[in-house]
Amino acid sequence: MSDVDPSTRHLIEVMGTVITIDLFRGTDADAAAAAIRRASELLHDVDRVFSTYKDSSPISRLRRGEVTLGETPPQVADVLDLCQQAKTLSGGWFDPWALPGGIDPTGYVKGWAAQRALDQFRDLDVSGAIVNAAGDIASFGGPAPDAVFRTGIVRPDDSQRLSAVVELRACLATSGEAQRGAHLYNPFTHEFTGAVASASVAGPDLGVCDALATALSVGGHDVMVLIDKVEGYEAMTIDAGGSMRATPGFPFVRD
């Protein structure tokens, strides 16, 4: 055993991005390494099954009609069921079935995969862990016992400055068009357009946060009203002029 205090960082290139894993104040490096391997294998398997950029992936073959849902790995049906639940929660603003080209659960899968990767570390003797999937974060614990993680939400017009600092109680997903341009699809107008410059959702499950943040980015205030009614989830938006709106319980750091 060797000390891995205060933090050990691992980078995994998968799903078209780099996923960062941080473990805090652990003491068993061998157990941590084994958990990292499990998380890496899980993330690579998710990429193999769900990548829409790989022609041979089960989800790509399903989109082309080459296989039925029953002929895909079981996790495809599981994810699509979760997507249906997220669609209902969002009032239809998150709708993987409406996207051009066929069903695309990408807006749920990244968060879902990061959440499952985080689960590989829950039995470790650590004070906390963070899985960061391109800015969408799943976590438990804190940087030290009796401490909580804090993270910043960048300004949509200036990625070098922060709009807010929040307590990372579990998960946080942020969606917007500042970095990638118009890539968010409005299932009601059938256009790639967003209602706000940045949308963030905090809550206990990153897959749900990811889906709701996508919906909030496209639907704006109408979706914020819906999220305010979902137990355990809070929302915040920043419009093109920099004005901020949030549900009452959004975990801002006030000091």
Side-chain angles (χ1 to χ4, degrees):
M1 291 181 21
S2 61
D3 194 10
V4 292
D5 176 29
S7 173
T8 299
R9 169 163 289 185
H10 302 268
L11 305 178
I12 300 174
E13 294 186 25
V14 67
M15 300 170 63
T17 188
V18 175
I19 294 180
T20 304
I21 296 173
D22 287 292
L23 305 178
F24 290 80
R25 296 191 178 274
T27 56
D28 191 337
D30 292 338
I36 290 290
R37 286 194 297 272
R38 292 194 300 271
S40 179
E41 290 170 359
L42 183 154
L43 292 169
H44 282 286
D45 186 60
V46 170
D47 188 44
R48 177 187 64 81
V49 173
F50 288 100
S51 175
T52 58
Y53 296 99
K54 295 181 178 180
D55 289 341
S56 62
S57 72
I59 197 67
S60 291
R61 297 188 66 203
L62 181 65
R63 282 160 55 90
R64 293 194 301 266
E66 296 175 1
V67 294
T68 65
L69 181 59
E71 294 172 317
T72 63
Q75 59 262 50
V76 175
D78 293 342
V79 164
L80 294 186
D81 181 60
L82 293 169
C83 284
Q84 181 59 58
Q85 295 177 41
K87 178 181 176 180
T88 301
L89 283 178
S90 70
W93 286 97
F94 173 76
D95 187 354
W97 290 268
L99 289 163
I103 173 69
D104 184 352
T106 303
Y108 196 100
V109 163
K110 183 175 67 170
W112 172 79
Q115 186 77 54
R116 293 179 69 212
L118 180 72
D119 290 342
Q120 306 306 309
F121 309 109
R122 293 190 184 275
D123 291 335
L124 296 181
D125 182 18
V126 295
S127 67
I130 294 175
V131 178
N132 186 332
D136 293 338
I137 302 170
S139 73
F140 67 80
D146 302 318
V148 297
F149 293 119
R150 293 181 173 186
T151 190
I153 297 175
V154 300
R155 286 178 47 163
D157 62 340
D158 185 352
S159 62
Q160 301 304 308
R161 300 173 64 187
L162 296 180
S163 293
V165 177
V166 301
E167 287 188 351
L168 190 58
R169 299 171 185 169
C171 302
L172 178 72
T174 298
S175 178
E177 298 184 337
Q179 302 300 317
R180 295 177 54 192
H183 69 285
L184 298 169
Y185 190 73
N186 185 319
F188 296 106
T189 66
H190 307 291
E191 298 175 318
F192 285 94
T193 182
V196 295
S198 177
S200 298
V201 175
D205 182 90
L206 189 56
V208 176
C209 287
D210 211 353
L212 292 180
T214 298
L216 182 61
S217 188
V218 174
H221 179 68
D222 290 344
V223 178
M224 182 174 288
V225 171
L226 294 174
I227 295 173
D228 193 31
K229 299 175 182 178
V230 180
E231 184 176 358
Y233 291 87
E234 304 290 343
M236 186 269 281
T237 61
I238 305 169
D239 67 20
S243 296
M244 186 181 300
R245 302 179 71 168
T247 54
F250 196 79
F252 292 111
V253 173
R254 302 293 182 179
D255 56 27

